[in-house]
Amino acid sequence: MRRLLILACLYLCMLPARAQEQALYISPDNALGIKAANLFSEIRFIPLETTAASYFNNMADFLITPDRLIFTDNASNSILVFDKQGKFLHKFKKKKYKLGPLQYDNAKNAVFFTSTNKNYTIPLPKVQQMTQTPGNRDFSRYKNHELMYLDEKENYRIEKLPVPYYALNDLYYMNGRYLLQNNRYNKYVKDTVLYHLDIMSGNEKVIAYFPFLNVPRLPTDFDDVDVNIDRTLNDTTVYIQKNYDNTVYRLVNDSLTPAYRFVFPAANTMPADFYTTAFRNNIDFTSYKSKYGKAVKSFFNIIDLPGVLFFGTNDNSWGYKRYVFSKNSASLYDLSKTTSDSSTCYLPTSIFMKISNYDTGYVYTSISGSDLLKEKAAILARYKDGPPPFLKQLLDTITRFSNPVIIQLKINPAAK
């Protein structure tokens, strides 16, 4: 009972902030299809230059900057930089350390990235212990934090940043500080209440969000409760969503406010007692979750533009979907049901499922050379008088060994 009272108090403390959120009433199972022309008004192909130095075939991350397209390649463990016309500019290869995700720092015109020493595999309980008792450990043995500057005068200089004691946790770099994610019970911390998200400036905790009871045999001990963070075009702003919380929050510097609250049918919503049940074991916990397999667990790839909101979801059975919500008509569209047409050169529907990057007015996706060649005959068959010159040139020159083709799509301002 005491645990339930504490949880209730924590919930009540968060209620006032929820008054500002914009409620979106949607049913994922009833999401519509949409014609590409109703969503996009222009298409542009950016074939990435393919040379011995620039070739890559295992894209791990893709970052858009005002004048660069930047990728990480798992196969070569490299960062590759192209301009927005597709010209290859630079390659950075990291030895001994495996590269992590990329983030752009607009103020510094630099790419932040982490890398993890391949010689160390540290389980989460050990990470928790090391974080709580760091002593004099040099954490750069395990992980690096670095900036790659993009200004021509900097010549892609790499700056090594200090590696804080909490570097082994999941981190997000934001405007010179770190968002530290704590996703489960930690027996090495004696506090009864911990937080899923801490903002750290150096070794100082600035503020914390999303409280949870730090006691065993609660959901956070059976299943990692992750905080999903999506970048925006502003250094000081990100979107945040906690597993099983249908609210997407906007974090601006230290201020966290609700942005969107998704109101789903009961079948897509985890019941409230999930958060207050002290499960006896993993069998009971798994059995409970299996009853609500369609409950939305997480949101990702949030792209918030003036007329539309793109987002992806995972449900409790790890089902995967991507949607776009029209703010003009309050309609939800399933991107897997998009009908390709001349506005998107009759490309396969699969490209819409990969929209994950954007800049002002545009979203970006990609297609591999081999996949484009598989579609070549079907695309050409749709054009009675031949394809547009830019498409013909691309289809005539692409090979299965070419680098991916980046596709830039302009959002139709009248999208409904």
Side-chain angles (χ1 to χ4, degrees):
M1 178 61 68
R2 182 171 177 270
R3 293 178 184 174
L4 298 183
L5 288 173
I6 295 174
L7 276 174
C9 290
L10 293 175
Y11 175 73
L12 289 171
C13 287
M14 296 176 68
L15 282 180
R18 291 184 176 272
Q20 305 172 42
E21 63 204 10
Q22 179 181 348
L24 305 180
Y25 292 84
I26 57 178
S27 175
D29 291 343
N30 296 323
L32 306 170
I34 187 171
K35 292 182 179 179
N38 290 341
L39 186 56
F40 308 110
S41 57
E42 295 177 16
I43 186 171
R44 174 176 170 240
F45 293 104
I46 310 175
L48 300 178
E49 182 181 1
T50 307
T51 65
S54 70
Y55 176 70
F56 68 100
N57 61 7
N58 194 340
M59 187 192 303
D61 201 9
F62 171 26
L63 181 67
I64 299 282
T65 79
D67 58 358
R68 299 284 192 273
L69 306 172
I70 305 176
F71 307 86
T72 50
D73 175 44
N74 271 343
S76 62
N77 198 44
S78 301
I79 298 174
L80 298 106
V81 183
F82 299 79
D83 66 19
K84 281 195 170 176
Q85 285 67 52
K87 180 182 178 182
F88 175 61
L89 300 175
H90 183 70
K91 182 176 183 177
F92 171 77
K93 185 174 177 62
K94 186 77 176 178
K95 297 180 180 179
K96 188 179 176 181
Y97 288 76
K98 180 177 175 56
L99 292 168
L102 305 174
Q103 294 175 231
Y104 180 61
D105 187 313
N106 185 74
K108 296 181 178 180
N109 193 21
V111 176
F112 171 83
F113 61 95
T114 64
S115 54
T116 304
N117 194 321
K118 297 177 182 178
N119 295 325
Y120 293 95
T121 300
I122 307 175
L124 179 58
K126 183 63 175 177
V127 168
Q128 291 177 331
Q129 182 185 36
M130 292 169 68
T131 299
Q132 294 306 310
T133 56
N136 294 320
R137 286 188 182 91
D138 178 8
F139 283 87
S140 64
R141 295 174 56 195
Y142 315 112
K143 203 154 188 174
N144 286 174
H145 292 179
E146 295 168 277
L147 286 170
M148 174 192 287
Y149 288 88
L150 301 179
D151 288 340
E152 290 184 10
K153 63 182 180 181
E154 297 277 8
N155 196 29
Y156 300 102
R157 176 175 65 90
I158 299 294
E159 177 187 357
K160 286 187 175 292
L161 301 177
V163 181
Y165 71 90
Y166 47 86
L168 298 179
N169 294 83
D170 290 333
L171 298 177
Y172 186 93
Y173 179 81
M174 182 181 177
N175 203 26
R177 302 188 297 183
Y178 294 103
L179 308 185
L180 168 62
Q181 301 173 52
N182 305 299
N183 58 5
R184 68 183 304 175
Y185 165 72
N186 186 342
K187 70 178 182 180
Y188 300 101
V189 181
K190 302 307 178 184
D191 296 339
T192 304
V193 176
L194 290 183
Y195 293 83
H196 283 303
L197 186 70
D198 299 330
I199 299 182
M200 306 294 295
S201 179
N203 291 336
E204 178 186 356
K205 182 186 296 186
V206 177
I207 196 169
Y209 297 104
F210 305 119
F212 67 94
L213 289 180
N214 187 42
V215 294
R217 297 175 65 118
L218 284 175
T220 49
D221 191 36
F222 292 104
D223 187 32
D224 290 348
V225 176
D226 294 317
V227 173
N228 301 292
I229 302 172
D230 283 288
R231 56 200 173 206
T232 70
L233 304 182
N234 191 317
D235 288 346
T236 62
T237 304
V238 294
Y239 284 104
I240 293 176
Q241 184 264 342
K242 179 171 66 73
N243 284 178
Y244 301 118
D245 183 344
N246 291 342
T247 299
V248 173
Y249 298 85
R250 185 183 292 110
L251 178 66
V252 182
N253 293 318
D254 301 341
S255 176
L256 185 75
T257 57
Y260 298 101
R261 177 170 59 90
F262 290 85
V263 183
F264 296 121
N268 304 112
T269 305
M270 184 63 83
D273 64 357
F274 170 79
Y275 303 96
T276 58
T277 301
F279 297 98
R280 294 176 300 174
N281 50 49
N282 266 314
I283 296 175
D284 287 355
F285 180 68
T286 302
S287 297
Y288 181 100
K289 289 204 302 179
S290 67
K291 296 178 183 178
Y292 304 98
K294 295 177 69 175
V296 174
K297 180 177 183 178
S298 63
F299 295 77
F300 57 91
N301 288 150
I302 296 167
I303 300 176
D304 191 0
L305 296 172
V308 293
L309 178 71
F310 288 85
F311 62 95
T313 65
N314 282 316
D315 64 28
N316 215 24
S317 298
W318 294 104
Y320 163 89
K321 284 283 189 177
R322 292 202 186 205
Y323 303 95
V324 60
F325 179 81
S326 169
K327 299 177 184 178
N328 297 322
S329 64
S331 300
L332 181 70
Y333 299 101
D334 183 339
L335 289 175
S336 69
K337 298 178 182 178
T338 306
T339 303
S340 191
D341 49 38
S342 59
S343 71
T344 50
C345 297
Y346 302 104
L347 289 172
T349 301
S350 59
I351 68 165
F352 306 112
M353 296 293 288
K354 296 191 292 182
I355 292 173
S356 60
N357 265 290
Y358 71 111
D359 54 20
T360 304
Y362 296 91
V363 294
Y364 293 79
T365 180
S366 65
I367 189 169
S368 67
S370 58
D371 285 346
L372 185 56
L373 286 175
K374 290 176 185 176
E375 301 293 331
K376 181 176 179 179
I379 292 171
L380 292 175
R382 303 297 296 269
Y383 290 96
K384 294 181 179 180
D385 300 321
F390 69 89
L391 178 58
K392 183 179 186 305
Q393 180 181 5
L394 176 63
L395 293 174
D396 286 345
T397 56
I398 199 79
T399 76
R400 65 188 183 94
F401 299 109
S402 297
N403 273 336
V405 177
I406 303 305
I407 302 165
Q408 182 191 65
L409 299 166
K410 184 175 180 60
I411 299 298
N412 187 340
K416 297 180 181 179

